[in-house]
Amino acid sequence: MMRTIEAGIVILIILIAFVAVSYLVVLPSPREVSPHNLRALALTILKNLDSNGFLSEVAFSESADSWNELQIALSASLPPNIAYNLTVYEIVGGYYIPKKSISNVIGKVSFTESVSYIVSSPAVTYRTVAQKISENGKNLTLYILNCWDANGWWITGYTAQTLALDLYNMLSPYFETTILVNSTSQLLSLLDGNKITSIPTEEVMDAVIINTFGEAVPIPSEYCQGGSRENEGYDSDHGSYARYCYTLGKKVNQYNWKWVSIVGYPLYYVTNTVALSNSQNSWGIYGVKKVGRAGLNAFLQGLDNKVYTYSTTKLTKDITQAYKVLVHFTADAYYRSNYYGIYPSPYQSASRALPGPGAEENDITSQYNLSVEAEVFEPVDGYYAAATFRHNSGRGALVAIGLTRTPDIRVAALALLMYYRPEIYKKTFTAPGKSRLVVLQLAELGGM
């Protein structure tokens, strides 16, 4: 009996406490429990209205129907207890002049939040402007080899001339002057340090030269056997044109050129369809003479101002075959690919990668005073599939793309842009003064 009385007393105490707490506690209104973030709401609505250009179009419109549509859209986007006022201002000489307002308010309302948003006239066009690549305080000239009297190799499916035009279109926005070198005679003049056009902005010094002929490089007839400059082009003791590759390396250093090889083993062949018309590369391509491994070795000797010696040491490595892997973009290559809008595959097979720091043998950076810069792909055991090898003197560089054919010239273009890093100035107005300011004010009405 006593236990029943005690239980009843406990229940009574609990009921009294519950009633007392319910009476004393004042619950907040639903509006206070879950308030609207009016600033975020206003900005979201303006961005949504302008996502397809609707808000920009109406802001510059004189049509009553357009403004009615905007008011309907605003009312549909906001809760019924939200008051709004939207005003469009014209921007003139730093002043804001009201042009048009719409509101759902009758009488006076104290608006608690306000958001500003700039819109542009639909008549305005946009363009991107690329910063011109410069060095030593001047804009550079880009030369692209396009010689009619030469044949390419390891560019299966393309001709050097079509690749040259594609590179011209891709890279000319970044250079003050872009010139196609249309014959080996023009190349000879360039190697002598002479301008080859009448363009006032052409600059031979510090230029970039892209060899579009793959593993072959055009050779002027004067450097060929029997030519007037045979001693600078032909190694008679070894029956090789490695000496011409040595001369090229010397010129690259002398003029501070960036020499770009777009695919394969650089300088593996020389080509001149007239002077070497009876020669073929053992694959049935006439006008092409094999130099072999000695070509790149001689070029690097010239770049480093070493004495010429004939060397057939193999430098490159087939990463894909040796390691059973594809090379992949560096983090910077991913970023620059998106930045410049150039999208080669970030995974590639690489059969002609050059040895740099960490390579098991023949590190060309220590042997020829080079530094590796602007790596497009992550190195594998010290072998670089696409990178710029710059001479430590600051004079001359080799941009080597040691990927497997067929060539993807976008990799070469990306390598150059990664090295120079020109800025892109985006969304420049071609019709200045065509902007208006939209101000949306909000207030929450009523409550519970």
Side-chain angles (χ1 to χ4, degrees):
M1 183 67 178
M2 285 298 295
R3 291 182 179 278
T4 303
I5 294 172
E6 288 174 356
I9 292 172
V10 171
I11 293 171
L12 181 62
I13 292 171
I14 293 173
L15 287 174
I16 292 172
F18 177 78
V19 171
V21 170
S22 300
Y23 179 78
L24 295 173
V25 172
V26 179
L27 296 176
S29 67
R31 184 158 63 100
E32 292 173 322
V33 172
S34 182
H36 290 291
N37 185 336
L38 296 184
R39 174 172 288 274
L41 179 63
L43 184 59
T44 299
I45 288 172
L46 290 179
K47 286 185 175 181
N48 287 341
L49 288 173
D50 200 41
S51 61
N52 59 359
F54 173 66
L55 181 60
S56 298
E57 183 178 345
V58 175
F60 286 86
S61 174
E62 300 296 332
S63 168
D65 290 341
S66 295
W67 284 93
N68 288 337
E69 289 178 11
L70 177 59
Q71 187 149 18
I72 292 170
L74 265 176
S75 298
S77 302
L78 289 165
N81 67 319
I82 301 295
Y84 68 82
N85 181 76
L86 182 144
T87 305
V88 174
Y89 296 86
E90 188 170 10
I91 306 172
V92 180
Y95 295 94
Y96 298 94
I97 302 171
K99 293 293 292 182
K100 182 79 174 179
S101 291
I102 54 175
S103 179
N104 65 346
V105 173
I106 299 175
K108 290 187 177 182
V109 170
S110 178
F111 292 101
T112 57
E113 291 292 350
S114 177
V115 168
S116 300
Y117 188 81
I118 294 288
V119 295
S120 304
S121 168
V124 172
T125 57
Y126 298 88
R127 60 191 176 98
T128 58
V129 179
Q131 178 188 22
K132 300 303 180 185
I133 290 174
S134 63
E135 192 172 61
N136 296 327
K138 64 181 180 183
N139 292 334
L140 303 190
T141 297
L142 170 63
Y143 293 100
I144 304 175
L145 301 190
N146 187 50
C147 306
W148 63 266
D149 52 347
N151 275 331
W153 182 243
W154 251 55
I155 54 173
T156 307
Y158 300 93
T159 65
Q161 290 75 20
T162 58
L163 292 174
L165 290 176
D166 288 341
L167 280 165
Y168 185 99
N169 293 330
M170 192 181 302
L171 288 173
S172 59
Y174 299 95
F175 288 86
E176 179 75 19
T177 309
T178 303
I179 297 171
L180 295 174
V181 182
N182 292 317
S183 67
T184 56
S185 296
Q186 283 192 327
L187 177 58
L188 175 66
S189 184
L190 187 61
L191 292 174
D192 287 339
N194 301 318
K195 296 182 179 181
I196 61 174
T197 73
S198 59
I199 300 173
T201 53
E202 180 185 357
E203 291 283 350
V204 175
M205 286 296 300
D206 307 317
V208 174
I209 300 180
I210 301 180
N211 176 29
T212 58
F213 289 81
E215 291 192 331
V217 60
I219 180 172
S221 58
E222 287 79 359
Y223 286 105
C224 292
Q225 186 178 13
S228 60
R229 302 189 184 182
E230 176 183 347
N231 64 327
E232 296 178 65
Y234 187 68
D235 180 348
S236 57
D237 291 338
H238 299 91
S240 171
Y241 283 103
R243 186 170 285 278
Y244 171 66
C245 300
Y246 176 78
T247 298
L248 282 181
K250 295 278 286 186
K251 299 293 184 180
V252 168
N253 180 275
Q254 178 183 352
Y255 301 126
N256 188 28
W257 286 342
K258 311 302 179 293
W259 183 275
V260 182
S261 175
I262 64 169
V263 72
Y265 206 121
L267 306 131
Y268 208 78
Y269 302 88
V270 293
T271 174
N272 186 308
T273 56
V274 178
L276 301 176
S277 59
N278 294 324
S279 300
Q280 59 104 354
N281 67 342
S282 73
W283 297 91
I285 305 298
Y286 279 82
V288 178
K289 183 75 173 178
K290 182 178 178 180
V291 184
R293 302 167 184 171
L296 179 56
N297 292 328
F299 176 89
L300 294 173
Q301 291 169 14
L303 178 59
D304 195 30
N305 279 319
K306 293 185 182 299
V307 175
Y308 168 76
T309 57
Y310 183 78
S311 169
T312 59
T313 299
K314 181 182 178 181
L315 296 180
T316 67
K317 188 165 192 173
D318 190 333
I319 290 176
T320 302
Q321 183 179 37
Y323 299 98
K324 309 303 180 187
V325 296
L326 299 176
V327 291
H328 60 88
F329 270 0
T330 61
D332 188 45
Y334 274 112
Y335 172 76
R336 294 288 162 181
S337 176
N338 284 313
Y339 184 77
Y340 295 114
I342 298 176
Y343 297 103
S345 172
Y347 294 90
Q348 302 260 2
S349 59
S351 55
R352 303 290 189 268
L354 287 176
E360 58 190 359
E361 59 182 352
N362 299 324
D363 172 11
I364 62 173
T365 61
S366 59
Q367 188 176 354
Y368 296 107
N369 296 304
L370 303 172
S371 59
V372 182
E373 300 183 13
E375 305 101 297
V376 181
F377 298 96
E378 293 286 355
V380 177
D381 274 2
Y383 286 88
Y384 293 79
T388 297
F389 294 85
R390 182 173 180 267
H391 197 266
N392 292 330
S393 67
R395 300 191 62 82
L398 170 65
V399 182
I401 312 300
L403 302 179
T404 307
R405 58 180 174 182
T406 59
D408 186 343
I409 58 172
R410 295 172 297 183
V411 176
L414 181 60
L416 265 180
L417 295 176
M418 287 177 63
Y419 179 76
Y420 286 108
R421 298 175 178 261
E423 298 290 335
I424 300 269
Y425 303 107
K426 297 185 177 181
K427 293 188 175 180
T428 300
F429 291 103
T430 58
K434 293 294 184 180
S435 298
R436 289 188 175 178
L437 178 69
V438 178
V439 177
L440 178 58
Q441 297 171 293
L442 297 181
E444 193 166 9
L445 304 177
M448 294 182 66

